[in-house]
């Protein structure tokens, strides 16, 4: 049984962790539907709490919303691309979870950056002087303008757009319907001026070390790992490992590269930490499409992280369209975590590790892949195969899966068994 909202072939491909263009398109549609739902929820909350908001906050929100609407009328695809950027989901989720009053109002100015980014991308950039709330204007997917004066100026039209911090000469030049690139000229003082996000080689994925919503304020994991800032991000090292990781994936399973390009919008560097609970990688349910990770030791580690975290994003997006689990509180042990996990987390972990088993199984047989990669894959496959099987057994026996969830796990189980057969036949 498969849910009516997802074509059977797509559902099976997703459960078996196999890359499929139709599945990527379906997941992107699910992400956008969720994003629009959150955006409308924000509008409704602002309307309901209008009397409790400061007049300036309410006026600015209405102006920013109007700018967003004008941009959407000019180029809906460009605006959709901005709205679906991972940090927009993180911002909306935090704003809607904030307590009424000043806590909620503090998140509203971020709409200014979202609207300006949408306007720039659509070719309808604003002209004139406007406020940069709290001295910061973050344009999702593009970059950040820091203006201690709290003011910025924009000029443009049909050609390049010029954003200027009034405290300095920094600008961003961006052609409508394209993402700007480069870091921009240095500001006259530390922390002032424009900083653009830098694109990683091949595709449109960016290294996001700027957006204020790229990591929650509490950090990531039990250790609360913070994001690495621009000053501590070695772009050349990231770009080099990214290029090599793509080459490994291409030699192992070309479909994985296409899937990465289609689903991974940003890589967010995490600060290096050695404390207990410091994660090597993470995905935020509110921000699918963002891979949060510490600097990987080498290209194989980054390739594995990309596949692992992409599947967390895939399952998070699918779960918005198809409920796979029902509420429950049972906790279970899994081999890859020291703490007991609820059923949805067991499903997430089993799914991401099944994708890695699939990758390693293909890497062992990939004649074009380096010998060290094939050997590493063989060792990791042997290490994790039994662990994934144990987690799948927990899921099969759980009464917290929906009908669709049970079908999904059956397909996962079938793929796990087929990978075992392939491994036995190759020895």
């Amino acid at each position: 049984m498969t849910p009516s909202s997802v074509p059977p072939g797509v559902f099976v491909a997703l459960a078996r962790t196999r890359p499929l263009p139709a599945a990527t398109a379906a997941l992107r549609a699910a992400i956008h539907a969720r994003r629009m739902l959150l955006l409308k929820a924000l509008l409704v909350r602002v309307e309901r709490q209008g009397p409790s908001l400061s007049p300036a906050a309410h006026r600015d929100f209405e102006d920013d919303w109007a700018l967003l609407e004008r941009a959407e009328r000019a180029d809906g695809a460009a605006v959709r691309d901005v709205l679906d950027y991972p940090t927009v989901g993180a911002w909306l989720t935090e704003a809607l979870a904030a307590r009424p009053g000043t806590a909620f109002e503090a998140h509203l100015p971020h709409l200014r950056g979202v609207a300006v980014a949408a306007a720039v991308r659509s070719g309808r950039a604003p002209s004139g002087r406007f406020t940069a709330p709290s001295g910061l204007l973050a344009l999702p997917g593009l970059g950040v303008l820091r203006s201690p004066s709290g003011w910025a100026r924009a000029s443009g039209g049909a050609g390049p757009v010029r954003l200027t911090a009034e405290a300095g000469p920094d600008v961003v030049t961006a052609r409508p319907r394209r993402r700007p690139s480069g870091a921009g000229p240095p500001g006259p003082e530390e922390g002032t001026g424009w900083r653009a996000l830098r694109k990683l080689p091949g595709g449109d994925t960016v290294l996001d070390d700027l957006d204020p919503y790229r990591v929650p304020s509490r950090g990531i994991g039990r250790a609360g790992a913070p994001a690495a800032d621009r000053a501590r991000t070695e772009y050349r090292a990231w770009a080099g490992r990214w290029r090599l990781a793509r080459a490994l994936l291409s030699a192992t399973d070309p479909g994985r590269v296409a899937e990465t390009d289609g689903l991974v919008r940003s890589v967010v560097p995490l600060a290096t930490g050695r404390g207990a609970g410091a994660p090597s990688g993470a995905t935020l349910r509110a921000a699918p499409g963002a891979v949060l990770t510490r600097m990987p030791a080498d290209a194989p580690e980054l390739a594995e992280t990309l596949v692992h975290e992409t599947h967390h994003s895939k399952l998070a997006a699918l779960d918005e369209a198809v409920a796979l689990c029902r509420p429950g509180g049972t906790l279970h042990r899994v081999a890859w975590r020291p703490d007991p996990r609820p059923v949805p987390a067991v499903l997430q972990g089993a799914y991401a590790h099944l994708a890695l088993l699939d990758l390693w199984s293909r890497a062992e047989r990939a004649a074009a892949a380096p010998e060290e990669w094939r050997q590493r894959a063989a060792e990791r496959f042997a290490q994790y195969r039994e662990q994934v099987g144990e987690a799948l057994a927990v899921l099969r026996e759980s009464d917290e899966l929906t009908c669709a969830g049970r079908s999904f796990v059956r397909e996962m189980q079938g793929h796990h068994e087929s990978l075992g057969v392939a491994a036995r036949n190759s020895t």
Side-chain angles (χ1 to χ4, degrees):
M1 176 180 179
T2 60
S4 58
S5 59
V6 180
V10 168
F11 188 81
V12 170
L14 286 172
R16 290 177 171 259
T17 74
R18 292 302 302 145
L20 184 72
T24 296
L27 293 173
R28 293 189 66 158
I31 290 171
H32 183 66
R34 175 64 176 172
R35 199 60 48 83
M36 294 305 295
L37 182 65
L38 293 176
L39 191 62
K40 291 174 182 176
L42 180 69
L43 178 61
V44 169
R45 184 170 178 183
V46 168
E47 290 175 344
R48 288 178 177 172
Q49 295 184 205
S52 65
L53 298 176
S54 68
H58 198 274
R59 180 180 62 252
D60 287 347
F61 183 88
E62 290 183 337
D63 290 344
D64 296 337
W65 190 273
L67 177 60
L68 188 62
E69 288 182 328
R70 290 195 298 273
E72 200 280 332
R73 288 192 295 269
D75 190 338
V79 175
R80 173 174 178 159
D81 196 55
V82 172
L83 294 178
D84 291 353
Y85 188 72
T87 58
V88 176
W91 161 62
L92 287 168
T93 301
E94 286 197 33
L96 292 169
R99 295 174 63 86
T102 57
F104 173 64
E105 188 172 315
H107 291 284
L108 298 183
H110 190 65
L111 181 62
R112 173 68 47 83
V114 174
V116 171
V120 168
R121 293 288 309 283
S122 70
R124 292 293 186 272
S127 294
R129 188 171 183 256
F130 56 90
T131 59
S134 302
L136 180 71
L137 187 70
L139 278 60
L142 301 181
V144 168
L145 181 73
R146 297 184 184 277
S147 179
S149 69
W151 290 92
R153 186 176 297 277
S155 61
V161 177
R162 191 176 176 90
L163 272 179
T164 309
E166 291 207 337
D170 299 67
V171 300
V172 54
T173 52
R175 296 190 178 279
R177 299 174 179 82
R178 297 181 184 176
R179 298 184 181 91
S181 60
E189 58 184 271
E190 184 67 25
T192 299
W194 172 257
R195 296 293 180 268
L197 295 180
R198 295 166 292 186
K199 192 169 70 170
L200 293 166
D204 290 322
T205 303
V206 297
L207 189 69
D208 196 336
D209 50 7
L210 294 172
D211 195 293
Y213 284 93
R214 66 192 185 278
V215 169
S217 57
R218 65 182 182 279
I220 297 295
R222 289 176 296 149
D229 58 26
R230 170 62 62 91
R232 292 174 174 80
T233 301
E234 300 177 13
Y235 172 74
R236 289 185 180 179
W238 279 100
R241 287 189 174 101
W242 175 268
R243 185 183 293 108
L244 293 174
R246 283 175 58 88
L248 277 179
L249 291 177
S250 182
T252 302
D253 187 1
R256 293 290 179 202
V257 177
E259 183 175 71
T260 298
D261 289 345
L263 292 176
V264 178
R265 298 288 305 277
S266 66
V267 172
V268 176
L270 295 177
T272 301
R274 298 181 179 179
S280 59
T283 295
L284 301 177
R285 182 180 178 88
V291 172
L292 286 65
T293 178
R294 293 180 296 179
M295 170 66 80
D298 50 28
E301 182 179 309
L302 179 55
E304 292 165 354
T305 297
L306 287 174
V307 171
H308 185 100
E309 300 303 335
T310 295
H311 281 76
H312 283 317
S313 280
K314 287 169 68 174
L315 198 56
L318 177 64
D319 200 41
E320 296 295 348
V322 181
L324 300 176
C325 300
R326 58 174 59 92
T330 308
L331 299 179
H332 303 273
R333 293 283 181 181
V334 291
W336 48 79
R337 289 286 296 250
D339 51 331
R341 310 294 287 159
V343 167
V346 174
L347 178 58
Q348 277 280 358
Y351 186 62
H353 283 88
L354 179 63
L356 286 176
L357 287 180
D358 182 276
L359 176 71
W360 292 325
S361 174
R362 293 170 191 278
E364 287 185 71
R365 306 189 302 273
E371 173 61 30
E372 312 89 82
W373 172 234
R374 296 201 302 270
Q375 181 61 37
R376 173 190 178 116
E379 294 170 355
R380 302 235 167 171
F381 183 91
Q383 177 184 354
Y384 281 96
R385 179 187 164 202
E386 183 175 348
Q387 296 179 4
V388 174
E390 292 171 353
L392 288 171
V394 168
L395 293 170
R396 290 198 311 273
E397 296 172 3
S398 173
D399 60 0
E400 295 178 26
L401 296 178
T402 63
C403 291
R406 287 195 294 273
S407 296
F408 196 79
V409 168
R410 280 197 297 271
E411 294 294 344
M412 289 175 63
Q413 178 67 39
H415 190 46
H416 182 262
E417 292 172 355
S418 70
L419 292 176
V421 171
R424 289 193 296 273
N425 290 339
S426 65
T427 57

